Amino acid sequence: MSDEFRGAAESGRLDAGACEDPLLDVSGLVAGYGATEVLHGVSLCVGEGEVVSLVGRNGAGKTTTLRSVVGNVVPSDGSVVFRGEDVTRLSPEETVRRNVAFVPEERRIFPGLTVAENLRVGQLGGGDTADPRDPEEVLAEFENLREHPDRKGAALSGGEQQMLAIARALVAGADLLLLDEPTEGLAPYVVRQVEDLVNGLNDEGISVLLVEQNVEVALELADRHYVLDRGEIVYHGTSDQLRDDEAVLDRHLGVTT
Ligand SMILES: Nc1ncnc2c1ncn2[C@@H]1O[C@H](COP(=O)(O)OP(=O)(O)OP(=O)(O)O)[C@@H](O)[C@H]1O
Ligand SMILES: [Mg+2]
């Protein structure tokens, strides 16, 4: 436990790290690759209807945390509970079926397929989810994409590709959306479009766990934040608490205030 974490506990800020009625409850997660342990006991939760961020520097273990939640990485200890059900060792296919949608960092869209075809592939992937959605209906919500259903993935801008990746995840049905650095490499005005999109989805009732290196985006979108450093959660707090905590911003996130 880091000094910050202990400090937060003593000052009562630890409350911001707990959820009364969690949709996603990650507890004591230990995971890695081969003999290398990357996560050393990560705990976090996302309440119904919340946007929660997981922020941290390069290599902190943010992506590994999301992969462990969806079952791409099998944890060696700890648990992942979704809607009260232990899903710790379920395959990614089984996790998707429970309406957990993961949009990875690499935005794996199919460059040779059109927007509409990419969405249909998303539907196949989630063919027997609890709550698949009509691709046309999802597309209608995406201002930038709906005008160009026949455009090839390769012809889309970075922002449009990001939105297509999110749309494709939604087609399979999503109550919880896991976003891995959705604004990485995007121009500021496109970042704002992605922010608007995520806010809109949250207004519809979709809960979000947002991984970001861009703390400004995390502060803008999320209600609560967890800071991950070298595989450990070293801090959690509300947006107001994090914004004011220069030591945490500087030491763990490299943001100078
Ligand atoms: N497939 C892999 N095999 C072996 N080691 C890996 C693999 N993927 C990630 N790692 C290592 O695990 C650690 C955490 O990586 P992870 O991708 O989870 O970090 P991250 O916080 O998402 O970083 P970034 O901000 O760069 O995306 C790093 O040291 C990384 O080198
Ligand atoms: Mg990553």
Side-chain angles (χ1 to χ4, degrees):
M1 186 184 272
S2 75
D3 290 338
E4 280 91 350
F5 201 99
R6 198 170 289 115
E10 278 160 14
S11 68
R13 273 185 292 157
L14 220 120
D15 290 344
C19 296
E20 214 165 85
D21 186 17
L23 178 65
L24 176 72
D25 201 1
V26 172
S27 179
L29 212 55
V30 177
Y33 305 93
T36 314
E37 189 180 294
V38 172
L39 305 180
H40 313 294
V42 167
S43 300
L44 57 84
C45 59
V46 180
E48 188 88 54
E50 262 195 316
V51 180
V52 171
S53 93
L54 179 63
V55 287
R57 285 179 164 151
N58 270 331
K62 304 181 297 295
T63 298
T64 305
T65 303
L66 295 187
R67 285 189 190 139
S68 304
V69 168
V70 293
N72 276 329
V73 166
V74 179
S76 57
D77 203 0
S79 65
V80 179
V81 174
F82 181 68
R83 232 187 254 299
E85 180 191 6
D86 190 329
V87 298
T88 316
R89 275 165 194 85
L90 293 188
S91 67
E93 292 75 22
E94 287 172 296
T95 317
V96 167
R97 229 170 269 154
R98 282 158 178 79
N99 281 358
V100 177
F102 176 34
V103 182
E105 233 168 333
E106 316 83 58
R107 303 170 194 157
R108 284 193 221 111
I109 62 152
F110 296 98
L113 299 185
T114 66
V115 166
E117 287 166 346
N118 263 282
L119 291 180
R120 261 179 260 136
V121 171
Q123 197 181 29
L124 293 179
D128 51 0
T129 60
D131 184 24
R133 292 183 60 193
D134 179 18
E136 302 263 317
E137 187 194 302
V138 171
L139 193 58
E141 294 176 41
F142 288 74
E143 218 179 296
N144 301 45
L145 299 177
R146 66 179 174 221
E147 313 294 333
H148 311 290
D150 298 323
R151 193 168 282 177
K152 289 263 164 64
L156 301 175
S157 70
E160 288 164 344
Q161 289 189 13
Q162 181 61 55
M163 295 200 194
L164 180 55
I166 295 175
R168 207 180 53 184
L170 294 181
V171 163
D175 294 330
L176 176 67
L177 188 56
L178 308 174
L179 294 177
D180 198 352
E181 304 208 30
T183 68
E184 193 187 5
L186 301 183
Y189 81 96
V190 187
V191 169
R192 280 192 291 279
Q193 290 177 351
V194 172
E195 285 175 349
D196 288 346
L197 174 67
V198 174
N199 275 327
L201 296 173
N202 183 240
D203 287 345
E204 285 173 32
I206 296 177
S207 308
V208 181
L209 178 57
L210 169 74
V211 158
E212 265 298 340
Q213 268 196 62
N214 185 333
V215 179
E216 281 309 315
V217 173
L219 286 169
E220 177 68 31
L221 281 178
D223 316 303
R224 293 190 301 116
H225 311 269
Y226 294 88
V227 178
L228 189 64
D229 196 346
R230 280 160 285 186
E232 288 184 57
I233 301 285
V234 293
Y235 175 89
H236 56 240
T238 63
S239 292
D240 286 346
Q241 288 167 342
L242 179 58
R243 200 178 276 118
D244 290 344
D245 205 322
E246 284 174 31
V248 168
L249 289 172
D250 181 41
R251 191 176 315 169
H252 301 293
L253 301 169
V255 179
T256 332
T257 48

